[in-house]
Amino acid sequence: MKPWILGLTGGIGSGKSAAAEHFSTLGIHMVDADHAARWVVEPGRPALAKIVDRFGEGVLLPDGQLNRGALRERIFQSEDERRWLERLLHPLIGEEIVANLARAESPYAILVSPLLVESGQHRLTQRVLVVDTPEHLQLERTMRRDSVSEGQVRAILKAQAAREDRIKHAHDVLLNDGDLEHLHQQVERLHQFYLGLRGGQP
Ligand code: ADP
């Protein structure tokens, strides 16, 4: 039977990747939307050529890779340009995700995405798991992981969906307010539950 798809989301530093990695060690196929977003603009892919046509060589690094910072600045200045870029990339990212999910051979597969609901990617899934973490822990863990300031993390938090809005779309919520061992135990419990579902439904 075709694997059903679990969407896994949560705010920055909530522990999505840590949870996803543990599902992965349990043998579950995992696709990361952030990785898909990077693959579609790799050198040689058609999207990158279109971006260069539009914004010029200034959005490339000397080695031909996309200069994300430069591109971010260009779209930051113009709403139209941001929309143009989204219209180009969103369908390509979606295709990349679908193709990768189709390779799954586990009983279910996971799509990890920080913007699962905001981007509409939850429509590719049958069930949504939200990793929910008190804001002070999100801040603390992200600052430690990325060596960034509290202000920088707060700005990202503000741009993402609010905790309550995200939870509204959840079928399951994993509260990641303990240590990593506790996170892994919860993942294992959910995994046992998911193995008993058909098409993501009880
Ligand atoms: P996200 O992918 O949601 O941004 P991560 O999974 O990268 O978040 O977690 C953020 C940081 O916090 C990582 O360095 C991770 O190892 C750490 N972390 C996640 N959950 C816990 C936990 N329960 N206890 C301690 N550290 C954690």
Side-chain angles (χ1 to χ4, degrees), residues 9-102:
T9 191
I12 184 167
S14 59
K16 290 180 295 296
S17 310
E21 265 163 40
H22 201 60
F23 278 108
S24 185
T25 65
L26 299 171
I28 298 305
H29 184 84
M30 193 250 287
V31 178
D32 188 323
D34 279 346
H35 295 173
R38 260 174 259 148
W39 294 330
V40 299
V41 291
E42 265 171 16
R45 306 285 304 259
L48 188 57
K50 288 186 183 151
I51 291 171
V52 173
D53 278 348
R54 181 116 182 160
F55 296 102
E57 302 268 337
V59 296
L60 289 180
L61 293 167
D63 67 356
Q65 298 266 349
L66 179 64
N67 183 338
R68 276 157 213 291
L71 181 62
R72 212 178 300 124
E73 236 161 68
R74 303 294 294 270
I75 62 168
F76 195 66
Q77 291 162 7
S78 159
E79 181 70 18
D80 281 351
E81 299 296 359
R82 188 181 59 78
R83 269 199 235 109
W84 178 87
L85 189 68
E86 276 178 6
R87 270 200 303 273
L88 171 71
L89 295 183
H90 280 187
L92 296 173
I93 295 167
E95 279 167 30
E96 192 79 38
I97 289 171
V98 168
N100 195 329
L101 285 170

Side-chain angles (χ1 to χ4, degrees), residues 59-202:
V59 296
L60 289 180
L61 293 167
D63 67 356
Q65 298 266 349
L66 179 64
N67 183 338
R68 276 157 213 291
L71 181 62
R72 212 178 300 124
E73 236 161 68
R74 303 294 294 270
I75 62 168
F76 195 66
Q77 291 162 7
S78 159
E79 181 70 18
D80 281 351
E81 299 296 359
R82 188 181 59 78
R83 269 199 235 109
W84 178 87
L85 189 68
E86 276 178 6
R87 270 200 303 273
L88 171 71
L89 295 183
H90 280 187
L92 296 173
I93 295 167
E95 279 167 30
E96 192 79 38
I97 289 171
V98 168
N100 195 329
L101 285 170
R103 290 200 281 273
E105 289 182 359
S106 47
Y108 63 98
I110 292 185
L111 169 59
V112 192
S113 174
L115 301 174
L116 188 75
V117 174
E118 297 93 319
S119 68
Q121 285 163 352
H122 67 291
R123 287 194 288 270
L124 300 171
T125 72
Q126 278 79 58
R127 194 173 184 92
V128 173
L129 168 61
V130 168
V131 179
D132 183 47
T133 305
E135 205 173 281
H136 73 276
L137 287 177
Q138 280 181 273
L139 277 170
E140 195 182 295
R141 289 172 184 165
T142 307
M143 286 164 65
R144 195 174 327 128
R145 182 191 61 190
D146 300 342
S147 308
V148 287
S149 72
E150 179 169 338
Q152 283 168 300
V153 187
R154 283 203 188 276
I156 296 169
L157 278 171
K158 239 169 98 180
Q160 295 185 335
R163 237 176 122 182
E164 309 80 59
D165 289 335
R166 206 178 282 117
I167 287 178
K168 267 188 225 149
H169 291 87
H171 297 82
D172 311 301
V173 176
L174 191 168
L175 183 61
N176 184 20
D177 63 353
D179 58 13
L180 277 172
E181 182 54 36
H182 184 61
L183 172 68
H184 292 168
Q185 280 168 6
Q186 294 190 80
V187 165
E188 283 159 34
R189 205 173 322 125
L190 283 164
H191 175 64
Q192 286 309 318
F193 171 61
Y194 292 152
L195 290 177
L197 300 183
R198 286 172 159 266
Q201 307 307 318

